[in-house]
Amino acid sequence: MRKDHKKALWEYLQANPGWHTSNELAVEIGVSTRSIKRYAKDLVDSSAIFVSEKGYKANQQQSLQKNSGMSYESVKRILTNEFTREDSLNIYDLSDRFYLSESTMIKLLREINDYFKNFNLNLKRSGDDWSLHGSEIDKRRVISDVLYKESGQTFIGSKTIQESFPDVDVKGLATRIKRLASFYNIYLNVFDFNNVLLHVTIATHRAKNGYQPQNKLSKNNSQKNEKIDKKQGSAFSTELINGIEENEKLKFSNEERQSLFLVIQFSITRKHGDLEDTISHDTALLVDQLIKYVSSTLNIDLRSLNFRDQFAIHIQRLLERSSHGYVERNPMTSKIRESSPIIYECAVLISNRLEELKDVSIDDDEIAYIAMHIGNAVSEYITELHKLYVVVLLPDYQIDNNVFISRLERLFSQDIVVGGVVNTPDQLKESHYSRSIDFVVQVNSNYTLQNSAYTNISQFLTQHDYRKIDMVIKSIRHTQKKNNFTNNLKQFFSPENFEIITKKISRDSVFKEVCNKLEKMDIVNAEFFDQLKEREKMSSTAFGKVAIPHSLQMSALKTQGYIVIAPKGIKWDATGNEVNLVFVLAVNKDNKSSYRNIFDDLSQIAIDPKNISKLISAKNYDEFVEELAELL
């Protein structure tokens, strides 16, 4: 387990009243003096300790809860993350670490456990230790959910950037980027757009405040960038940079201009074969190592192509700045640290690893920049998870790949994300991509691909080509929906909760029989029978030959359903209406979304009498589920 140096610093100052120099503390804690300053910063900001020319000392009068420097929700998110990757956490260690009383910490852990229950996970206490029990898959689902909430769909947006850089006309920059992208027929997804906007904003802010790079590009690097400029030179990038200089009445340094050009170029194209023409080979290897380290430590996959390349450029610049002792100031540091502790923790891990591997000191402001790259990548990944992952198989000859890919992404922006471009089928290896390939778009080629869905189109993306791609998308979407529905159905309605009644029967008799079985399985309590009848008094849950009875309270102990097929009919109400198929829904309040999804799908299927005749002909559970999925 990685040592908590900030906690060690706090405990030492608490136990040893008076002033202590950074040199003394560095020896005691076992880190560099620069690291001591970083760890002390949070404690100073929260008034947990004092700082002066004499060094540091503890504020003995400050209340323990305020000394953590974190909000209650931030502590909850941090602990949620740690429980997914630690064998156990000690209640007293946690109380000391976050400066919370034992009773407050127990209350917090119970709230966290309520959240874990949504993912089939449970916190269990053994003496003073608490541990998380459940499957590794469910733990990964928790991590994804936390990251999703932190990234907020768009981790860095125009509003956030404007608030952090009030001296820059961010709205004007955003308008300029959109106008130029439209003029040059360039498609920028949300991630790429925000990435370009953020970097040009930072560069503009620095230029306005008299920033000059502390290091000059080496002759070798200059030659590399000149090569990129000529080979990949883009009117979009050049006009954007020139327009900012003219509009803002400023001049970027050559180094800043080169850096901006690279960032923009790597945001508007997914063909990144020349990455190592812009960064050193060692940096490329280092970034891959950092991504692997985060994956093994936090179970977070950062192998996104855009993240790797953009991040590699950032790390190259960061290492150059650090070698000259220069820190890139970041006005968004405190906001990111407070609002996104898991993403920030991921950035801290990367920074610590960088310190170990490269013997450099990474300041809080630099950590926040790393967090911004991670947050944007996570946001993009989550946003695009619902899209199909496509690889384009395009022979390497006279065709502008970038223009073609940009047009393809624009035409199908709501449905696909292009993960890469290959020239031969041999390059279609799943291990090369961060996600499994949903289908391949072949351009001017006609290979037979054994292991992938695919379609063949021309380089011109005609209406006929559009329809061919659209057909593949709809086919895969339907298959996915059917598979998801089947999986959800089997979780919601288990084989044990399926029954075929061959005799004529009344509604209340069905309710009584089903409720007794559900109660024995600890799914509902004894009041569920009365709750079903109460709901029917308000309005019948039957429509046609199908009924979907449920309670109004959503008070079930677990979310489960029960299926009853009655070919001879169930007398449902006083009007003499009969039904042949019943879906009893027992819903826990924490699973409202699951109930809604199942209810909507079942309702759509059940309104067609032809569907009902097929369903009530099923001889067993598997046959019924298969038929139900086919009717989607």
Side-chain angles (χ1 to χ4, degrees):
M1 188 185 301
R2 189 168 57 86
K3 183 178 180 181
D4 188 337
H5 296 299
K6 186 169 76 171
K7 178 186 174 185
L9 173 63
W10 162 251
E11 290 178 342
Y12 181 79
L13 292 175
Q14 281 283 84
N16 298 274
W19 293 101
H20 302 273
T21 67
S22 57
N23 287 332
E24 173 194 342
L25 294 171
V27 172
E28 179 64 31
I29 307 302
V31 296
S32 67
T33 55
R34 283 186 177 180
S35 294
I36 288 295
K37 292 176 182 177
R38 184 209 306 163
Y39 299 134
K41 187 175 185 299
D42 286 347
L43 297 172
V44 172
D45 290 345
S46 62
S47 301
I49 65 175
F50 299 118
V51 59
S52 74
E53 59 183 13
K54 298 178 184 179
Y56 303 94
K57 76 171 182 178
N59 178 0
Q60 301 290 348
Q61 302 303 317
Q62 179 73 303
S63 69
L64 293 179
Q65 186 166 343
K66 290 183 180 179
N67 285 345
S68 68
M70 294 181 182
S71 70
Y72 193 75
E73 289 302 316
S74 294
V75 173
K76 283 176 66 174
R77 288 201 296 273
I78 288 175
L79 289 180
T80 297
N81 173 61
E82 292 191 3
F83 272 117
T84 63
R85 56 192 180 90
E86 301 289 352
D87 291 335
S88 64
L89 296 175
N90 184 276
I91 185 73
Y92 295 111
D93 288 345
L94 295 177
S95 296
D96 290 343
R97 175 180 168 190
F98 293 106
Y99 317 103
L100 296 171
S101 66
E102 182 185 353
S103 59
T104 301
M105 183 58 67
I106 290 176
K107 177 177 178 292
L108 186 149
L109 292 177
R110 286 173 178 165
E111 291 178 12
I112 293 174
N113 193 36
D114 288 338
Y115 169 70
F116 280 139
K117 288 178 181 178
N118 296 323
F119 300 88
N120 300 316
L121 299 170
N122 273 290
L123 281 180
K124 293 186 179 179
R125 184 174 186 174
S126 176
D128 299 330
D129 294 328
W130 292 65
S131 57
L132 182 62
H133 293 254
S135 71
E136 186 64 27
I137 292 177
D138 289 331
K139 291 179 182 179
R140 287 176 181 267
R141 288 172 57 216
V142 168
I143 291 292
S144 296
D145 188 65
V146 171
L147 288 173
Y148 176 80
K149 290 175 179 176
E150 287 194 0
S151 64
Q153 295 281 359
T154 308
F155 183 72
I156 303 296
S158 301
K159 183 180 178 181
T160 305
I161 297 173
Q162 183 65 81
E163 290 173 352
S164 301
F165 298 93
D167 61 332
V168 178
D169 179 14
V170 176
K171 184 178 180 180
L173 291 179
T175 300
R176 182 179 294 273
I177 294 169
K178 290 177 182 177
R179 178 175 56 80
L180 287 175
S182 176
F183 180 79
Y184 286 105
N185 198 31
I186 292 171
Y187 171 72
L188 292 171
N189 62 23
V190 174
F191 169 76
D192 292 328
F193 174 82
N194 285 331
N195 193 57
V196 172
L197 178 61
L198 177 62
H199 281 85
V200 297
T201 300
I202 292 171
T204 302
H205 168 76
R206 290 191 301 214
K208 281 189 168 187
N209 288 273
Y211 163 79
Q212 290 296 323
Q214 300 298 302
N215 58 290
K216 300 293 183 181
L217 287 171
S218 68
K219 183 178 180 180
N220 185 43
N221 276 341
S222 295
Q223 291 172 345
K224 283 183 177 181
N225 285 322
E226 287 173 8
K227 176 183 176 183
I228 293 296
D229 201 350
K230 293 175 182 177
K231 188 173 182 179
Q232 290 182 273
S234 164
F236 172 84
S237 305
T238 302
E239 187 171 341
L240 177 59
I241 295 170
N242 289 345
I244 294 172
E245 287 184 327
E246 181 180 350
N247 189 66
E248 299 290 339
K249 303 296 187 292
L250 53 82
K251 187 69 176 176
F252 295 123
S253 67
N254 290 335
E255 291 83 359
E256 190 73 75
R257 191 180 181 90
Q258 291 277 15
S259 179
L260 265 182
F261 184 86
L262 291 174
V263 167
I264 296 169
Q265 285 301 96
F266 276 89
S267 293
I268 65 177
T269 176
R270 293 185 182 271
K271 186 180 179 182
H272 298 166
D274 295 311
L275 176 64
E276 293 195 19
D277 285 336
T278 69
I279 65 171
S280 70
H281 180 66
D282 287 345
T283 299
L285 294 177
L286 173 64
V287 168
D288 287 336
Q289 188 175 354
L290 292 173
I291 290 174
K292 185 177 180 180
Y293 176 66
V294 171
S295 177
S296 63
T297 307
L298 285 181
N299 291 334
I300 299 172
D301 190 349
L302 295 175
R303 291 180 300 160
S304 163
L305 182 64
N306 271 19
F307 171 79
R308 177 184 180 271
D309 292 352
Q310 294 285 3
F311 190 56
I313 296 171
H314 178 78
I315 291 297
Q316 178 87 19
R317 294 292 301 275
L318 185 154
L319 292 175
E320 291 171 352
R321 289 193 298 270
S322 297
S323 66
H324 289 78
Y326 177 77
V327 174
E328 193 81 88
R329 294 304 169 194
N330 189 339
M332 303 174 76
T333 300
S334 59
K335 183 182 296 184
I336 293 172
R337 186 168 50 207
E338 172 67 19
S339 65
S340 307
I342 304 304
I343 291 174
Y344 191 80
E345 172 70 9
C346 186
V348 170
L349 275 179
I350 288 177
S351 300
N352 284 344
R353 191 64 172 163
L354 270 175
E355 289 182 341
E356 294 173 3
L357 296 174
K358 291 296 181 180
D359 192 28
V360 294
S361 180
I362 311 297
D363 185 88
D364 269 7
D365 290 321
E366 296 282 15
I367 293 175
Y369 277 119
I370 293 175
M372 288 158 69
H373 276 272
I374 296 168
N376 253 347
V378 170
S379 177
E380 180 198 30
Y381 178 74
I382 293 172
T383 299
E384 294 186 343
L385 271 180
H386 74 284
K387 299 181 183 180
L388 300 181
Y389 195 75
V390 175
V391 172
V392 177
L393 175 55
L394 195 154
D396 192 13
Y397 57 84
Q398 289 80 11
I399 177 175
D400 191 331
N401 292 5
N402 296 333
V403 171
F404 176 84
I405 298 301
S406 181
R407 188 178 174 206
L408 178 66
E409 289 188 309
R410 183 188 292 109
L411 287 172
F412 298 97
S413 60
Q414 300 302 312
D415 297 297
I416 70 169
V417 53
V418 177
V421 179
V422 297
N423 305 128
T424 66
D426 296 339
Q427 297 171 311
L428 289 170
K429 295 181 179 178
E430 293 280 357
S431 60
H432 292 174
Y433 303 97
S434 58
R435 287 171 55 187
S436 60
I437 300 171
D438 289 306
F439 73 97
V440 177
V441 174
Q442 291 196 59
V443 184
N444 293 338
S445 56
N446 196 24
Y447 295 103
T448 299
L449 306 179
Q450 299 293 340
N451 302 315
S452 303
Y454 63 92
T455 188
N456 309 84
I457 65 170
S458 74
Q459 70 191 69
F460 305 109
L461 277 174
T462 64
Q463 282 295 317
H464 180 62
D465 294 329
Y466 179 91
R467 285 193 294 271
K468 290 175 72 173
I469 296 174
D470 190 54
M471 286 178 60
V472 175
I473 291 173
K474 288 179 178 177
S475 174
I476 294 176
R477 288 288 194 205
H478 179 73
T479 300
Q480 289 179 340
K481 183 178 181 181
K482 186 170 73 172
N483 291 339
N484 289 335
F485 177 72
T486 301
N487 292 334
N488 291 335
L489 193 71
K490 288 183 176 179
Q491 289 183 2
F492 205 92
F493 299 99
S494 65
E496 295 77 21
N497 296 0
F498 176 84
E499 185 176 358
I500 298 176
I501 299 177
T502 57
K503 61 182 180 180
K504 206 170 186 66
I505 192 171
S506 68
R507 182 198 68 191
D508 287 358
S509 296
V510 171
F511 282 178
K512 187 170 296 185
E513 182 178 341
V514 170
C515 289
N516 285 338
K517 291 181 178 180
L518 293 178
E519 188 177 349
K520 288 179 181 179
M521 292 186 284
D522 292 324
I523 294 171
V524 301
N525 53 35
E527 290 78 32
F528 191 63
F529 174 79
D530 293 330
Q531 290 172 357
L532 291 180
K533 292 185 65 176
E534 180 184 352
R535 170 62 182 84
E536 294 296 330
K537 285 181 182 179
M538 292 186 62
S539 176
S540 175
T541 60
F543 45 99
K545 296 298 182 180
V546 180
I548 309 181
H550 54 278
S551 72
L552 294 171
Q553 292 83 357
M554 293 191 179
S555 58
L557 304 176
K558 300 176 185 176
T559 296
Q560 284 278 289
Y562 200 103
I563 299 170
V564 176
I565 296 177
K568 294 185 177 180
I570 301 171
K571 185 179 179 181
W572 200 256
D573 51 41
T575 65
N577 183 39
E578 289 191 354
V579 301
N580 300 105
L581 180 60
V582 179
F583 298 95
V584 180
L585 306 182
V587 184
N588 181 277
K589 61 179 175 27
D590 293 329
N591 297 110
K592 293 179 182 178
S593 60
S594 298
Y595 155 73
R596 174 53 56 191
N597 292 337
I598 287 290
F599 187 90
D600 288 347
D601 286 334
L602 291 178
S603 299
Q604 289 180 21
I605 295 170
I607 59 176
D608 189 339
K610 294 179 182 178
N611 293 341
I612 306 308
S613 63
K614 293 178 182 178
L615 290 172
I616 64 175
S617 299
K619 300 296 189 295
N620 52 55
Y621 173 82
D622 289 333
E623 190 176 319
F624 179 86
V625 170
E626 184 178 347
E627 185 62 54
L628 195 59
E630 287 297 326
L631 293 174
L632 271 179

